[in-house]
Amino acid sequence: QGALSKPFFADDLLPEIRAALAKQVSPSPASPAATPSPTLPDELPSQDIQATLSELAREIDADAVLLLSAATDDVRILAHAGTLPGPRIQTLAELGIAAVRSAQATSQFLGQPDRPFEHNMFESDSLRLYIMILDDSELLLAVTPTSTRLGTIRHSLRRAARDLNSHF
């Protein structure tokens, strides 16, 4: 009925249990029809979204935080915060979406197309790139120093994702 990725936080458990209990279980062995993922409205409440991303960047000491849409072949940056120079933001967005598409292809190869990787992470000696899939077409991406604790990054991105979902 549900799943939590490790490590998870205690405040993630109760909502997952409630969601699992709320699901109606069909006796039919047929798989349920796929529901379309929500799309972003034409006009985003950019001030609220920008505030959420700025707060996230501050919390995790991020060089960059990006909210991306991968709904089309074009890379669309919905909002960003941090100190990364403008020309590098587009490159980072393209790399982030390419990484997620690669992870989705890997998931399909492994026989789990319905359970794509929700989190992706890459590290160098000094930087960490962390990507969280919000739904089928939106991504939250952060570039932080490796000194920022992974649990802090994960917890802060999940909180920001909940805040962002309330704006969609």
Side-chain angles (χ1 to χ4, degrees), residues 93-116:
E94 291 168 2
L95 290 170
I97 288 178
V100 168
R101 288 182 178 152
S102 176
Q104 289 168 337
T106 302
S107 180
Q108 289 178 348
F109 177 80
L110 295 174
Q112 296 186 328
D114 297 334
R115 301 239 10 211

Side-chain angles (χ1 to χ4, degrees), residues 4-7 16 20 23 30 38 43 45 52 54 58 74 83 85-86 90 99 101 113 121 123 148 155 166:
L4 290 172
S5 301
K6 286 176 64 178
E16 191 69 29
K23 289 181 184 176
E43 292 184 29
T52 298
S54 294
R58 186 195 60 73
D74 295 331
T83 59
Q90 182 66 32
R101 288 182 178 152
M121 186 182 72
E123 268 188 7
T148 303
H155 177 73
S166 71

Side-chain angles (χ1 to χ4, degrees), residues 49-143:
I49 289 175
Q50 191 62 48
T52 298
L53 294 185
S54 294
E55 176 63 18
L56 175 60
R58 186 195 60 73
E59 282 178 14
I60 61 175
D61 193 28
D63 292 342
V65 174
L66 284 67
L67 178 62
L68 307 173
S69 174
T72 65
D73 287 338
D74 295 331
V75 175
R76 191 166 145 222
I77 300 171
L78 303 175
H80 64 87
T83 59
L84 194 67
R88 298 200 64 200
I89 291 173
Q90 182 66 32
T91 301
L92 179 60
E94 291 168 2
L95 290 170
I97 288 178
V100 168
R101 288 182 178 152
S102 176
Q104 289 168 337
T106 302
S107 180
Q108 289 178 348
F109 177 80
L110 295 174
Q112 296 186 328
D114 297 334
R115 301 239 10 211
F117 298 105
E118 181 179 306
H119 303 267
N120 295 275
M121 186 182 72
F122 304 90
E123 268 188 7
S124 70
D125 290 339
S126 59
L127 292 175
R128 177 181 291 129
L129 171 63
Y130 195 95
I131 306 167
M132 181 178 185
I133 300 173
L134 302 181
D135 64 31
D136 288 342
S137 62
E138 285 82 36
L139 313 172
L140 190 56
L141 181 150
V143 177

